[in-house]
Amino acid sequence: EAQVTQNPRYLITVTGKKLTVTCSQNMNHEYMSWYRQDPGLGLRQIYYSMNVEVTDKGDVPEGYKVSRKEKRNFPLILESPSPNQTSLYFCASKQGARLDLRNTGELFFGEGSRLTVL
Amino acid sequence: QKEVEQNSGPLSVPEGAIASLNCTYSDRGSQSFFWYRQYSGKSPELIMFIYSNGDKEDGRFTAQLNKASQYVSLLIRDSQPSDSATYLCAVGGGSQGNLIFGKGTKLSVKP
């Protein structure tokens, strides 16, 4: 089954304790992206990656790191989490930029990771 | 800064009515346009995509694109209570293929 898998789905942690949210896709997609979603603010992009070893900042990258060493994985790292990073996080993937009959450009989302930083 | 703007709502319509959701975007080089539906606490799911000017219909949903006005809309005919959700407009393409999302419009369909 084609899917984007995020772990953990739920996490409560404390300020300053490093954590990693993993994201893996089994569709051989070139593009992957991380978003956070907060009430009234919509989906805000944190980082995205167009391919292996290629990453770029989104709208709200501060306090986050990413890496793309393999095509299927795109982990999100919070080196020193703070309470303002409490949010619902989504990872997503899609085929590369070129659109054709087989590539609609659809973005496939993981189920989300709800993070609480105390 | 590329932007996608949506009216945050909430938009309330009676069951059976037509719901009209609107979206404007700033990047004239945009090539692909998407509407996602998101139920509370769930991940967004794609309901429509459109690339060419004009209308595209799929069941009760119609997407409309006007590139000259940088405007894309979603019409939902015969609205049902199950359509109550937040609708996200996403715009992409150009040279990078990154998708930019609007903040979403919350739709409430009253029985």
Side-chain angles (χ1 to χ4, degrees), chain A residues 42-114:
Chain A
L43 273 176
R44 292 185 292 169
Q45 191 176 46
I46 303 171
Y47 272 95
Y48 65 97
S49 170
M50 299 297 289
N51 215 322
V52 176
E53 301 291 1
V54 180
T55 63
D56 212 342
K57 295 178 180 179
D59 296 321
V60 288
E62 295 79 17
Y64 304 95
K65 287 175 60 177
V66 293
S67 66
R68 187 89 183 274
K69 293 183 172 60
E70 307 166 279
K71 200 171 188 179
R72 64 183 293 124
N73 295 322
F74 191 44
L76 179 70
I77 303 159
L78 286 73
E79 293 272 3
S80 182
S82 62
N84 65 12
Q85 293 179 296
T86 293
S87 188
L88 177 59
Y89 290 86
F90 288 104
C91 179
S93 72
K94 70 180 178 78
Q95 292 185 38
R98 186 172 64 89
L99 302 174
D100 57 30
L101 287 177
R102 293 171 298 172
N103 175 22
T104 64
E106 178 181 358
L107 197 58
F108 292 82
F109 285 86
E111 292 187 309
S113 296
R114 189 168 290 280

Side-chain angles (χ1 to χ4, degrees), chain A residues 31 37 45 50 94 104 107, chain B residues 36 38 43 51 96-98:
Chain A
Y31 174 101
Q37 190 170 40
Q45 191 176 46
M50 299 297 289
K94 70 180 178 78
T104 64
L107 197 58
Chain B
Y36 285 81
Q38 186 179 25
S43 55
Y51 304 141
Q96 291 187 329
N98 194 29

Side-chain angles (χ1 to χ4, degrees), chain B residues 3-93:
Chain B
E3 294 183 342
V4 176
E5 300 284 345
Q6 293 181 254
N7 188 325
S8 61
L11 174 65
S12 183
V13 301
E15 183 174 357
I18 295 175
S20 178
L21 305 164
N22 305 314
C23 173
T24 59
Y25 59 95
S26 63
D27 182 11
R28 283 197 171 274
S30 300
Q31 298 178 7
S32 53
F33 307 86
F34 305 85
W35 284 99
Y36 285 81
R37 177 176 63 199
Q38 186 179 25
Y39 294 111
S40 182
K42 302 295 186 183
S43 55
E45 56 179 331
L46 181 70
I47 53 171
M48 289 289 286
F49 63 90
I50 186 168
Y51 304 141
S52 304
N53 276 328
D55 295 359
K56 179 182 179 183
E57 187 174 318
D58 184 1
R60 295 187 296 113
F61 299 98
T62 299
Q64 299 174 317
L65 175 61
N66 183 325
K67 288 187 178 180
S69 300
Q70 295 175 242
Y71 175 92
V72 59
S73 66
L74 178 71
L75 299 178
I76 306 175
R77 290 181 300 281
D78 188 23
S79 296
Q80 302 296 309
S82 59
D83 294 326
S84 297
T86 296
Y87 289 79
L88 302 169
C89 173
V91 175

